Amino acid sequence: MPFPREQLETVVNEKLCKIETIKLRNKYIGQACQLFYRSDPLKIVRGQGQYMYDEQGTRYLDCINNVAHVGHCHPKVVTAGSLQMATISTNNRFLHDELVQCAKTLTSKLPSLLSVCFFVNSGSEANDLALRLARNYTKRQDVITLDHAYHGHLTSVMEISPYKFNQPGGDPKPDYVHVAPCPDVYGGLYKDKDYQCSDMAEIYSIPIRGICERLKLQGKGVAAFIAESLQSCGGQIIPPAGYFKKVFEAIRSVGGVCIMDEVQVGFGRVGSHYWGFELQDVVPDIVTVAKPMGNGHPVGAVITTPEIANAFYNTGVTYFNTYGGNPVSCAIANAVMRVIDEECLQENARLVGDYLLKQCRELKYEFDIVGDVRGVGLFIGIELVKQRDSRDAATQFAHWVVNRMKEMHKILVSSDGPNDNVVKLKPPMCFSQENADEFLLAFRECLSMLKKQREGDNLPATNAAAITTTTNSSMELLSNKKQIFERRDHLIKSV
């Protein structure tokens, strides 16, 4: 662990108690800024690997932090950033090796046509620049996006994020933005139960072809289609096989370009591939990356074809981003990509993800509230429903589970989706099978409590003493798989 003495001193010398921190946040930080567990927020003072620790030293298993991609405070990433910061940090209008090495490594992980990089500071900036590149190349304005999509917090990308603009108080959708149905075959506009033995990729691509045809008749055409390779905020959506092939064909037939947003799922998270779009055997025109690229440090990139990049250059308007591609950011990104390879984290995502997905799906046979389990690699969603037949969202139950997992089991998960009833799992890539078993044990206890006390929708109190809160020392014992399942069986019998 890097800087262990300094870390301990920081925790010991914590200057504010939690109540004082909350008071100052309420006074000086905008109330619109999201806070996890707002009624009882966590004060996290340090992290290591797949764990985070609060000011009292309580350890939490982090199942949601896809930003800390290779693990919180990975020693090699911390060292790379620290050494570069102690050497020089300036902008990319000067030559430096970390920039070109980062671009070389990044493009080596992508299809050969995607060979030109622009470095930015965040996913929002990446998607903003991607739109700019697409509109400059096509000389068009109209963009097709998917319902429930989220592409960032800048004005330009809020306009293409129904996840935001469809909320009460959201800005109206501009006329040049066109929303197609999210390809959610379980709970979306077109459900697989209503289209049995049908090609769901074809069904969900028809609306996009319709938008393209209308815009062509209007003499507008399409500038770009943008989508997350796997939609996260929309509820951990896995598009049906062949969907993006059909969509790309429709978009390109009217002269548009295809943008794949890999901000949530890139860098090996899907296990079988380095990028989420590779699951569908397509090659986008533009790819955007960020969050996991910096393991918590703000860095992102846009990767595109020489043709699109040259069209941007030919405008005569130079592109400059003060911090994008600075030596420290690039050193950190290079370290992250090295760690992914050296520690075989993509393969770990495949193995642990397959195991976790299989075990979660088996819960469907025991608990009717589990409507659907979907995912790939370490990207998994568990959709909770009131009734299997109707698939009505069990939003209240999902919120209860999220809070109980935190308070009783010291495990951090979140909920999302159009109805906020999908329990999301996107842990750091060092997440182990023992961690998966720990999650499964706790999640099963929550579902067992719901099964027992669900009648009349009466939820048990989150802090009910149904189980004894597990201490740090006993959590270490749970790393033994046999003990985990013995404890699980005991819980099932006692609940």
Side-chain angles (χ1 to χ4, degrees):
M1 181 190 299
F3 316 128
R5 179 168 160 270
E6 289 85 346
Q7 278 187 321
L8 290 173
E9 287 180 353
T10 299
V11 174
V12 171
N13 297 327
E14 190 70 27
K15 296 177 180 176
L16 300 175
C17 69
K18 183 176 177 178
I19 294 176
E20 291 173 326
T21 302
I22 292 172
K23 286 180 179 179
L24 288 176
R25 181 181 173 109
N26 290 339
K27 183 175 181 179
Y28 294 111
I29 305 300
Q31 288 297 305
C33 295
Q34 188 178 19
L35 180 64
F36 283 141
Y37 311 105
R38 185 171 285 273
S39 62
D40 183 23
L42 286 174
K43 183 174 181 179
I44 298 297
V45 298
R46 70 180 184 95
Q48 195 67 43
Q50 60 271 56
Y51 301 102
M52 297 197 294
Y53 299 81
D54 68 13
E55 79 285 1
Q56 296 179 336
T58 303
R59 190 187 75 177
Y60 292 86
L61 177 62
D62 185 356
C63 296
I64 57 176
N65 209 318
N66 62 319
V67 179
H69 191 63
V70 299
H72 293 279
C73 304
H74 193 288
K76 292 182 179 179
V77 177
V78 172
T79 299
S82 301
L83 287 175
Q84 185 58 56
M85 186 177 290
T87 305
I88 182 66
S89 182
T90 184
N91 63 67
N92 68 12
R93 286 187 290 189
F94 298 99
L95 292 174
H96 69 86
D97 290 347
E98 294 289 355
L99 172 68
V100 295
Q101 290 293 343
C102 189
K104 180 182 178 182
T105 304
L106 190 56
T107 54
S108 74
K109 306 287 189 182
L110 286 153
S112 59
L113 287 174
L114 296 164
S115 59
V116 183
C117 298
F118 296 86
F119 285 88
V120 295
N121 304 296
S122 68
S124 296
E125 280 193 15
N127 286 326
D128 173 83
L129 179 56
L131 291 178
R132 186 176 167 190
L133 290 169
R135 285 169 169 156
N136 172 74
Y137 180 72
T138 62
K139 308 305 179 188
R140 296 171 183 148
Q141 178 77 359
D142 291 68
V143 175
I144 300 176
T145 187
L146 297 179
D147 204 6
H148 313 306
Y150 175 63
H151 295 291
H153 60 80
L154 301 180
T155 299
S156 60
V157 288
M158 287 283 281
E159 290 178 346
I160 59 169
S161 299
Y163 179 78
K164 289 294 185 181
F165 68 62
N166 278 338
Q167 292 184 13
D171 291 334
K173 178 184 72 64
D175 293 338
Y176 51 78
V177 173
H178 310 273
V179 180
C182 168
D184 175 5
V185 300
Y186 181 80
L189 183 62
Y190 309 115
K191 298 177 177 63
D192 52 7
K193 68 173 183 176
D194 299 324
Y195 293 86
Q196 296 183 25
C197 302
S198 298
D199 182 351
M200 296 305 294
E202 173 66 18
I203 289 170
Y204 269 107
S205 66
I206 290 173
I208 291 179
R209 289 204 296 271
I211 294 171
C212 291
E213 290 168 5
R214 287 196 300 274
L215 290 173
K216 186 176 180 180
L217 289 174
Q218 294 170 13
K220 293 181 178 180
V222 175
F225 165 78
I226 185 169
E228 299 162 87
S229 300
L230 305 173
Q231 204 176 80
S232 178
C233 292
Q236 305 294 85
I237 303 303
I238 313 296
Y243 170 73
F244 281 127
K245 273 194 173 182
K246 294 177 183 294
V247 170
F248 280 24
E249 181 181 349
I251 298 300
R252 287 168 173 161
S253 71
V254 292
V257 300
C258 300
I259 304 170
M260 286 279 92
D261 180 339
E262 289 276 337
V263 171
Q264 296 273 10
V265 297
F267 296 92
R269 176 163 294 279
V270 300
S272 58
H273 299 82
Y274 207 80
W275 308 106
F277 67 78
E278 293 178 298
L279 294 168
Q280 297 249 337
D281 193 25
V282 293
V283 178
D285 302 295
I286 303 173
V287 173
T288 59
V289 297
K291 290 181 180 179
M293 184 177 177
N295 209 56
H297 182 85
V299 57
V302 179
I303 310 96
T304 189
T305 66
E307 187 178 7
I308 292 175
N310 288 337
F312 191 50
Y313 169 73
N314 290 335
T315 64
V317 180
T318 59
Y319 178 75
F320 171 58
N321 187 317
T322 302
Y323 295 109
N326 73 78
V328 175
S329 295
C330 290
I332 288 172
N334 284 329
V336 168
M337 289 186 282
R338 284 196 300 271
V339 169
I340 293 171
D341 292 343
E342 291 170 0
E343 299 185 5
C344 302
L345 294 183
Q346 180 181 330
E347 176 66 4
N348 184 69
R350 185 186 69 82
L351 293 173
V352 177
D354 286 351
Y355 172 79
L356 184 54
L357 193 62
K358 179 179 182 293
Q359 296 297 319
C360 286
R361 282 176 173 159
E362 289 183 0
L363 294 173
K364 293 176 64 176
Y365 299 105
E366 191 173 345
F367 303 101
D368 290 340
I369 193 174
V370 179
D372 190 37
V373 177
R374 51 186 176 263
V376 59
L378 288 176
F379 180 91
I380 294 173
I382 306 167
E383 185 154 353
L384 303 186
V385 296
K386 293 180 179 178
Q387 292 184 344
R388 286 261 181 90
D389 292 340
S390 66
R391 301 186 180 180
D392 292 337
T395 303
Q396 186 184 11
F397 298 145
H399 293 175
W400 183 86
V401 168
V402 168
N403 283 319
R404 186 175 182 85
M405 289 288 283
K406 170 216 164 195
E407 294 177 15
M408 299 296 291
H409 299 285
K410 311 308 177 191
I411 297 176
L412 305 181
V413 296
S414 64
S415 62
D416 221 324
N419 299 302
D420 205 17
N421 67 315
V422 180
V423 177
K424 294 169 57 172
L425 297 175
K426 295 183 300 178
M429 295 277 280
C430 52
F431 201 77
S432 67
Q433 184 169 316
E434 288 74 20
N435 298 141
D437 286 331
E438 186 178 332
F439 164 80
L440 290 162
L441 170 66
F443 193 65
R444 179 183 292 276
E445 187 277 334
C446 292
L447 295 180
S448 297
M449 287 291 290
L450 284 175
K451 185 176 182 179
K452 178 181 180 183
Q453 303 192 39
R454 188 177 159 194
E455 185 176 340
D457 286 355
N458 293 320
L459 293 174
T462 305
N463 292 313
I467 62 172
T468 302
T469 302
T470 311
T471 63
N472 287 342
S473 59
S474 63
M475 290 299 283
E476 295 299 328
L477 294 175
L478 289 178
S479 63
N480 181 290
K481 186 175 178 180
K482 180 180 178 181
Q483 289 174 322
I484 285 180
F485 285 98
E486 287 176 352
R487 182 171 168 79
R488 181 196 70 179
D489 294 340
H490 171 73
L491 284 170
I492 294 172
K493 292 174 182 178
S494 63
V495 172

